[in-house]
Structures are given as C-alpha cells and as structure tokens.
C-alpha cells in the first residue's frame, strides 16, 4: 500500500498540513519573519518520508499547488535524430529543475493536432514546441493552448504572439555555399524539401543569393521529405538522370546522411568527387568516414533560452512578448 502524508503525520504526531508544507517547502512566516515550521521539524518529516518510502501523489499535489510538475516538449518528428538531441538536452535542463518531461509529436502531418492525446488531455505547466509558427499549427497554438499552459516556440520561422527562440541559418548557409565554391567546386547544388523552398528559409535564401552573386545557376534536388531514405532515393535518381554535382548542400543532416549513402552506393568518392555539407549539427556526421561538414545549430543555448522564457511566462502570463535570435555556425571537417 502506498504511503501518504497521513501516515507520516501519524508517525510524527504532526498535522497533515504541517507535513504537507514541509514536504513541499511551503513554510509561511510569522510577523517576525520566522517560519512557523522549524528546520528541525522539516528534517524530521524528510527523514520519516525516507524511512516510510514515501512517494508524492502527483495528482493530489497538482490539486493543492495548481502545478503538475510536468513540461511538454513537442517536435515535428520523433524519428529525427536532430529532434532527439534537442529533446535530450531539454530533458537534462528540466531534470535539474526537478520537472518531468512529456514528449510528443506536433506536426502538419497530424489530422487534428488540437485534439490529439498528449496535448489536450494531459495537463502540463508549460510547453516548448518546435516549429509552432508553421502553417495550420500557428492558429491552433495561439487560439487554444496558451489559455491552458504557457508556450514557447523554437525554430527557424518564428513569429506571431508566442514567445520564441528563433534560429538564424542565413549567414551560415551563405558561408557553407561559399565554402563549397571556394573548394573549387564548379557545380554546387542544394537538396531541399517542399517546406524548405521558400525565401523565408535562411538555407534556401543563403544558397540562392551566393550562387547569383557568383554568376552561377542554382541547381536543386527535390526530396519529397527530409528522411534519410528519401534523400538516398533522390540522389540515386537525380545522378542517373542529370549527372553528379561536385558540391552538395543538404537542407538538414538527415538528408546529408541519406545523400552520403546514395553517393557511396554509386561508387562516388567523398570528398574527392563530391564535397558534402549538411545542416543541423547532429553528432552522426562526425562519425562518418570521412566525416562531413555541417551547419551546427546552438542546441544547448536555444534550449536554455527557451526554458528561461517559459519560466518567466509561467510566473507572469501578462509580461511583454519575449523573443531571441540565435546564430548557427559552419563546422568544417576535412
């Protein structure tokens, strides 16, 4: 049988309210500024809780405090290595702050994001979401969820009324394209998805502007999605039909790995015949042979900043709009 607050109060001959305040570190002060509950009493309660193997009832605590002790992290795809690394970093931060993390997918592929289990049916104290400013997701978040729990958005296209941490990929994408050209590559192409092919995307804009500045034609490989399998199939089909570019900038690292595998399938040497650059900064590219250059997003910094914004918003729902823009950087691996 689970041990409760009443069991501890019975053992110590203290009131349940005193035990509850001691366990939850809620110690009211008297008129002289001295806590009604002494340090000695708190120590006795903590010792008894440990001896009795007390485990707090999350539901009961939520009813008393109005807080669940849970924070949600929503990403477009839990199959993506990049989002796995973001979730891991965010989990480390939350664990240090003594919060549990609820992880789920929240993307345009969902038929009805607003009514999906894990979003409306499980209470949380706050939400970090990646890409919540995209398409149909933006009005869903802005009209529904802020009233239920404060939200901070992270991503590449952040705008609107939500607090956000924006990642600027444009300068690093310009640098990546120039790097490929300065390596002596005469035919530099970019692998993109339908979501990437827009002037609002820093990767697409950086590549196209540098190519035009150099007086060169842009060349795009259109992958149906950003998975490794799709990129592998795309590069195989494209090279057979159009020949092989000698420089390739992939819009994310998942596609970079897929393109890498596809080029190797055809016996094409990297980097002798093709110089490859990815984008995101996942660890996998460093462990390829040879390792592949990439644009690294500041995962640790953006998670820290998003958590700071969320903590402030949980304290004060009426505070001014919070925004921050962080820069990605090119990591060159020879």
């Amino acid at each position: 049988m689970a041990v409760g607050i009443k069991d501890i109060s019975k053992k110590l001959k203290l009131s349940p309210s005193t035990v509850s305040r001691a366990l939850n570190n809620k110690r009211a002060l008297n008129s002289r500024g001295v806590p009604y509950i002494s340090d000695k009493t708190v120590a006795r309660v903590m010792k008894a809780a440990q001896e009795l193997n007390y485990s707090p009832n999350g539901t009961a605590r939520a009813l008393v405090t109005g807080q669940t002790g849970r924070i949600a992290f929503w990403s477009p795809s839990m199959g993506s290595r990049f989002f796995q690394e973001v979730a891991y970093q965010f989990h480390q931060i939350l664990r240090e702050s003594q919060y549990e993390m609820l992880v789920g997918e929240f993307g345009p592929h969902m038929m009805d994001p607003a009514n999906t289990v894990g979003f409306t049916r499980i209470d949380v104290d706050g939400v970090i979401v990646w890409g919540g400013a995209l398409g149909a997701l933006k009005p869903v978040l802005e009209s529904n969820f802020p009233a239920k729990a404060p939200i901070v958005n992270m991503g590449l296209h952040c705008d609107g009324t939500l607090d956000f941490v924006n990642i600027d990929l444009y300068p690093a994408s310009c640098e990546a394209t120039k790097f490929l050209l300065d390596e002596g590559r005469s035919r530099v192409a970019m692998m993109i998805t339908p979501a990437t092919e827009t002037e609002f995307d820093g990767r697409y804009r950086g590549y196209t502007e540098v190519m035009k500045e150099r007086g060169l034609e842009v060349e795009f490989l259109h992958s149906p999605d950003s998975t490794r399998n799709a990129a592998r199939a795309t590069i195989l089909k494209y090279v057979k039909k159009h020949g092989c570019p000698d420089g390739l900038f992939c819009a994310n690292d998942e596609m970079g790995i897929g393109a890498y595998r596809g080029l190797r399938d055809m016996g094409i040497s990297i980097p002798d015949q093709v110089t490859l650059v990815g984008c995101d900064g996942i660890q996998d590219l460093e462990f390829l042979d040879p390792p592949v250059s990439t644009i690294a997003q500041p995962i640790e910094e953006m998670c820290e900043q998003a958590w700071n914004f969320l903590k402030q918003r949980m304290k004060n729902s009426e505070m001014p709009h919070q925004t921050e823009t962080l820069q990605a950087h090119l990591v060159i691996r020879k």
Side-chain angles (χ1 to χ4, degrees):
M1 181 181 295
V3 174
I5 286 176
K6 289 184 178 180
D7 298 298
I8 299 174
S9 65
K10 183 178 179 180
K11 176 182 174 68
L12 299 178
K13 294 182 173 55
L14 296 171
S15 69
S17 60
T18 297
V19 173
S20 176
R21 291 191 184 97
L23 289 171
N24 291 288
N25 197 29
K26 292 186 176 296
R27 303 166 64 187
L29 304 179
N30 61 22
S31 59
R32 294 175 296 171
V34 179
Y36 285 111
I37 305 174
S38 67
D39 292 340
K40 183 178 179 180
T41 299
V42 172
R44 286 180 63 212
V45 171
M46 293 301 183
K47 182 179 179 182
Q50 185 176 17
E51 291 174 349
L52 294 174
N53 197 26
Y54 166 77
S55 179
N57 185 308
T59 302
R61 174 175 288 183
L63 289 172
V64 174
T65 65
Q67 298 177 334
T68 67
R70 294 190 296 261
I71 301 294
F73 171 69
W74 300 342
S75 78
S77 171
M78 290 311 300
S80 164
R81 176 64 174 159
F82 172 71
F83 293 123
Q84 291 168 11
E85 292 192 11
V86 174
Y88 173 78
Q89 182 62 43
F90 191 48
H91 177 258
Q92 298 299 105
I93 294 171
L94 289 180
R95 186 169 62 181
E96 292 177 0
S97 299
Q98 298 183 330
Y99 277 89
E100 293 183 86
M101 185 170 78
L102 179 70
V103 181
E105 286 191 345
F106 185 79
H109 62 286
M110 302 168 69
M111 294 299 292
D112 187 4
N115 293 308
T116 300
V117 174
F119 303 106
T120 59
R121 303 183 195 178
I122 300 179
D123 291 332
V124 294
D125 296 331
V127 179
I128 300 286
V129 59
W130 180 280
L134 296 177
L137 299 183
K138 180 180 175 182
V140 169
L141 289 172
E142 293 185 337
S143 62
N144 291 286
F145 291 101
K148 300 176 182 179
I151 290 183
V152 173
N153 185 28
M154 295 193 299
L156 310 179
H157 309 284
C158 296
D159 59 13
T161 62
L162 298 177
D163 297 328
F164 67 75
V165 180
N166 186 63
I167 310 301
D168 185 5
L169 296 177
Y170 172 73
S173 297
C174 291
E175 188 180 356
T177 307
K178 292 175 182 177
F179 162 71
L180 291 170
L181 293 171
D182 292 343
E183 286 286 292
R185 302 307 181 181
S186 58
R187 184 183 168 192
V188 174
M190 183 179 186
M191 183 178 288
I192 58 176
T193 65
T196 316
E197 195 171 3
T198 166
E199 62 181 7
F200 298 106
D201 189 281
R203 295 161 294 186
Y204 177 85
R205 186 160 54 94
Y207 166 76
T208 54
E209 288 185 6
V210 170
M211 293 295 284
K212 289 177 182 179
E213 287 173 2
R214 298 286 183 97
L216 301 170
E217 292 292 326
V218 296
E219 182 176 354
F220 295 107
L221 284 69
H222 297 272
S223 178
D225 59 54
S226 60
T227 63
R228 302 180 187 192
N229 286 334
R232 184 182 191 180
T234 296
I235 193 76
L236 289 168
K237 182 179 179 180
Y238 188 88
V239 171
K240 288 178 182 178
K241 186 175 181 179
H242 302 284
C244 189
D246 55 7
L248 182 62
F249 176 24
C250 294
N252 68 31
D253 284 343
E254 295 286 341
M255 291 197 298
I257 293 172
Y260 181 101
R261 183 67 264 169
L263 291 168
R264 294 292 291 269
D265 289 343
M266 293 181 285
I268 296 173
S269 175
I270 304 169
D272 295 334
Q273 294 174 269
V274 178
T275 302
L276 189 63
V277 175
C279 181
D280 279 340
I282 66 174
Q283 294 182 3
D284 301 45
L285 268 67
E286 186 177 356
F287 290 88
L288 295 175
D289 184 19
V292 173
S293 300
T294 186
I295 294 172
Q297 298 197 46
I299 294 177
E300 183 175 349
E301 185 180 1
M302 68 185 180
C303 288
E304 288 280 3
Q305 187 61 68
W307 176 230
N308 288 336
F309 280 174
L310 187 58
K311 286 189 293 184
Q312 294 301 317
R313 183 61 62 188
M314 289 191 296
K315 290 179 182 177
N316 180 7
S317 62
E318 303 300 323
M319 71 178 300
H321 191 209
Q322 303 175 101
T323 65
E324 179 74 24
T325 297
L326 303 177
Q327 298 293 327
H329 66 280
L330 179 64
V331 177
I332 298 175
R333 301 185 178 111
K334 291 291 184 179

